[in-house]
Amino acid sequence: MEIFGSTFDDSVFSEARDRVCVCLSSYSAKVCEPEWFCDNAALDTDDSLEKQKVFKFRGDLAVRQGDYQKAYEAYSSCLEWIADNNLTIRRDVLEGMARCCTKLGQKDRALDLAHLLSKEASNTCHLSSLLLLKVSIYQHFGAVGSKMSSLQQLCSLLPFNPWHWFSLGQMCLQLSESAGEQTDRETEETQEEAEELNEDRVWLKACTCFIRTRLLLRILQQQQASFVLQRSENALQTTEDVLQRLNPKETTVQTLTEVMSEDLVPEKMREDYQDGESLASVHVQSFRERWWNKILLIGLLKTDGRQRQADMES
């Protein structure tokens, strides 16, 4: 049974009809020297597209060399020459600028650029890229609650992607193992986010995420081979090891498995997993609405939390 868009449309393999043969005139390929765009002469043109390319390449090279201030300046110059209808390059450059600001320690500017990207997001690809950008920004500046919120949004937007669940689970695991060691850097977090960083909540959320990861990886393994399958197997083994360390009660594991597998049916997965779908037609339930409230309603937080406390005291 194929899911996740792994099937092909038969028309891809059909032969073209009435194909017209066109004889091309002689063509001489343009030959460029290595790093030709670093030469000032590369800007001696009235072609806005050529100037855009020069500044974009300069920015990319500077990022590779670790010179983020130089990269930011090049990307800023590139932005001036991007055509209004070239949204792909514009988004790429804005994201590059945001990542440079992050490396330079300019949190507010990085988030402002991320906000610009959010205004122009028109499909789930755009939104998932934006959320991944926010995760990297929040991680760099130690905003734990905001990072967790962005990862939860990723899991809600793409609920059948095991790697987002795996990342959220790893974060919760780190928080659970370092409970009580958070410093004043968390003062920016909201009251609601602070509550979500409660030790028992983080522990239970870690269990939830890794159980969901395990369920998804087992489904995906049926369609994988080679190094892709090896990656999934490695992640699955890590997941199993982590769950042993978290040591939830068997009843907790069974209940969480039931809750987190309710939507894992092939028909629903084919319908919902449409990466690149227009945001106008996407309704994304929050992490709390879709999963967390069910878990809290069952009472796992209270019952397993008391058991964990008793185990620690004994």
Side-chain angles (χ1 to χ4, degrees), residues 40 50 79 136 192 247 283:
N40 288 332
E50 282 298 311
L79 204 58
S136 66
E192 182 179 353
N247 194 29
H283 171 68

Side-chain angles (χ1 to χ4, degrees), residues 146-195:
S146 297
K147 178 186 174 184
M148 179 178 289
S149 176
S150 294
L151 283 171
Q152 289 178 171
Q153 289 178 61
L154 272 170
C155 291
S156 298
L157 179 67
L158 301 173
F160 306 123
N161 185 316
W163 306 110
H164 297 326
W165 288 97
F166 188 72
S167 297
L168 180 57
Q170 286 183 313
M171 179 187 176
C172 292
L173 176 66
Q174 293 171 1
L175 290 174
S176 177
E177 293 180 339
S178 61
E181 297 179 5
Q182 297 301 315
T183 64
D184 290 341
R185 67 180 182 175
E186 301 305 330
T187 54
E188 296 183 19
E189 311 300 348
T190 65
Q191 180 70 26
E192 182 179 353
E193 289 173 334
E195 291 177 359

Side-chain angles (χ1 to χ4, degrees), residues 95-237:
E95 181 175 338
M97 293 172 66
R99 293 189 182 279
C100 288
C101 288
T102 301
K103 293 291 186 179
L104 294 169
Q106 301 171 5
K107 179 181 178 181
D108 291 341
R109 179 56 179 157
L111 290 175
D112 286 344
L113 289 164
H115 182 63
L116 275 179
L117 284 168
S118 69
K119 290 182 176 180
E120 300 177 2
S122 60
N123 57 48
T124 55
C125 285
H126 291 168
L127 187 52
S128 58
S129 296
L130 172 64
L131 289 170
L132 288 169
L133 171 62
K134 285 185 174 182
V135 167
S136 66
I137 295 173
Y138 292 135
Q139 177 173 330
H140 184 85
F141 293 103
V144 177
S146 297
K147 178 186 174 184
M148 179 178 289
S149 176
S150 294
L151 283 171
Q152 289 178 171
Q153 289 178 61
L154 272 170
C155 291
S156 298
L157 179 67
L158 301 173
F160 306 123
N161 185 316
W163 306 110
H164 297 326
W165 288 97
F166 188 72
S167 297
L168 180 57
Q170 286 183 313
M171 179 187 176
C172 292
L173 176 66
Q174 293 171 1
L175 290 174
S176 177
E177 293 180 339
S178 61
E181 297 179 5
Q182 297 301 315
T183 64
D184 290 341
R185 67 180 182 175
E186 301 305 330
T187 54
E188 296 183 19
E189 311 300 348
T190 65
Q191 180 70 26
E192 182 179 353
E193 289 173 334
E195 291 177 359
E196 291 303 317
L197 297 178
N198 172 273
E199 181 181 357
D200 284 337
R201 284 176 177 262
V202 169
W203 175 85
L204 184 57
K205 195 167 288 186
C207 294
T208 301
C209 291
F210 282 113
I211 285 174
R212 176 78 171 188
T213 300
R214 180 168 65 182
L215 289 166
L216 289 169
L217 287 174
R218 286 175 175 173
I219 294 174
L220 284 176
Q221 280 184 313
Q222 303 172 20
Q223 307 171 37
Q224 295 175 333
S226 187
F227 65 92
V228 179
L229 177 60
Q230 184 62 51
R231 184 192 181 200
S232 293
E233 290 176 343
N234 292 340
L236 189 58
Q237 184 58 55

Side-chain angles (χ1 to χ4, degrees), residues 234-301:
N234 292 340
L236 189 58
Q237 184 58 55
T238 300
T239 298
E240 297 289 359
D241 294 341
V242 168
L243 284 172
Q244 286 187 4
R245 286 161 56 190
L246 291 169
N247 194 29
K249 294 189 297 183
E250 186 60 33
T251 54
T252 299
V253 173
Q254 292 176 357
T255 304
L256 287 176
T257 300
E258 291 176 6
V259 172
M260 302 309 291
S261 62
E262 287 178 353
D263 61 336
L264 300 186
V265 292
E267 292 75 15
K268 188 171 182 62
M269 295 171 79
R270 269 197 295 264
E271 177 184 351
D272 288 355
Y273 193 87
Q274 297 182 27
D275 194 16
E277 184 179 4
S278 170
L279 291 181
S281 59
V282 173
H283 171 68
V284 180
Q285 284 183 294
S286 71
F287 190 92
R288 175 179 288 275
E289 290 174 337
R290 190 161 184 175
W291 295 286
W292 194 234
N293 282 347
K294 294 181 182 179
I295 294 169
L296 296 180
L297 185 63
I298 295 170
L300 289 179
L301 182 61

